[in-house]
Amino acid sequence: MKRIVLLGSTGSIGQSTLKVVADLPDRLQLVGLAAGGGNLDELARQTREYRPAAACVFDRSKLPALREKVGNATRLLAGEEGLVELAMLPEADIVLIAIVGTAGLRPALAAIEAGKDLAVASKEILVMAGEAVTSAAKRQGVRILPVDSEHNAIWQCLDGKPRHEVRNLWLTASGGPFRKKPQAEFAKITLQEALQHPTWSMGNKITLDSATLMNKGLEMIEARWLFDIEMARVRVVVHPQSIVHSFVEFVDGSLLAQLCEPNMRLPIQYALTYPERLANTLPAADFMKMSRLEFEMPDHDRFPALGLARAAGERGGTAPAVFNAANEVAVARFVKGEIRFPDIWGIVEHVLAKHRVVEHADLGQILEADRWARAASAAWKG
Ligand code: NAD
Ligand code: MG
């Protein structure tokens, strides 16, 4: 039995995780749940149904309402301290971070210090603080298990093979809804159009990041840290069907891939049950749906995100944290209607160019760079 703390339980990954747990009740148990508080009814419903040892709402003002909805049977926590306490829960074996953005960073570091394995969906925390998170995990002897489908695929294909046997890691990208859109039309893209993902159903932030290809840029840096490999060997290929979830190209020319329907339940389950594979209720592979798998090289002129990510990842230090924070603010500004779609890249490029990178930054320096980049991105006027 694996005992799980789930941070971000009401979101897209959170809900898929609950389905995985419901599917494997003899092997997986939820001992902690946390969410932001935007959907309090759902957090309360989950708490009543799964009866975890503790539940946490990030927004403190919602704590009394949550208490009223769940009664006195469950210990309730709030705020960042609540997330950190949950991440260190003595009852837990593994902590799954599925909080959008970087609010999961402190809880992730706390979980590692408490000796818990970490399953990471929140790529933003590895982009922001990949060096700090992976070195802490190494020191504490805990695992970092990738939930992001591409990284989960690479992890399955690598299967413990050493880095020197790898020529390249190939992340697949759907290409998003604007794969074929002429550049001249980018300035007119609406929020509604950008939220139409061709193959995956996900939270709004990652859906918008998929439309700009910033998601793949974040994933390049995520891969660099998860697999301890230099950026030059992290490559991207566009694959519109999202059936091949990524490839490992080995030095002998062999290419291994992991394939399945685009459904996050599979990578989540593999991360939670690792090293075992367990039978589940997911539909079996349908070869008719796989009869046409296409691949093409990304268009760097129309989609500058990949080049920006590569530059930030190669620069290292605080550059990836600035890349991530600038993107987060730019996406929020696009949602509010303050900027046009291509300005998202414009802001990231501008803020990265202005940043003075700190090498081998400690956590305080990373958080300072994050704050600086958010302010600079909010002030950008074009
Ligand atoms: P979402 O917007 O659907 O859900 C976000 C969750 O985080 C919600 O439960 C929300 O309440 C919670 N949350 C937000 N701020 C919080 C805070 N300060 N404290 C505690 N909880 C907070 O997002 P999502 O699509 O599930 O994505 C979550 C993470 O997983 C992101 O980092 C995303 O990049 C990554 N990811 C998602 C998918 C996917 O299929 N959705 C795939 C790969 C990776
Ligand atoms: Mg992904």
Side-chain angles (χ1 to χ4, degrees), residues 231-254:
M231 287 299 292
R233 283 196 278 168
V234 180
R235 314 284 294 274
V236 172
V237 60
V238 174
H239 166 47
Q241 290 79 20
S242 302
I243 296 284
V244 176
H245 294 297
S246 278
F247 297 97
V248 176
E249 179 189 357
F250 289 96
V251 286
D252 61 359
S254 198

Side-chain angles (χ1 to χ4, degrees), residues 79-97:
E80 189 175 54
E81 308 91 81
L83 294 178
V84 165
E85 192 176 336
L86 209 54
M88 301 175 79
L89 205 68
E91 291 91 337
D93 302 308
I94 182 165
V95 177
L96 197 166
I97 315 263

Side-chain angles (χ1 to χ4, degrees), residues 30 57 80 119 142 181 188 196 207 210 218 225 252 296 301 310 336-337 341-342 358:
L30 278 171
V57 58
E80 189 175 54
V142 302
K181 203 175 191 62
K188 288 199 267 335
Q196 302 304 314
T207 302
S210 301
L218 294 167
W225 290 113
D252 61 359
E296 62 193 40
D301 290 333
R310 186 172 297 287
K336 280 195 247 161
F341 186 77
V358 181

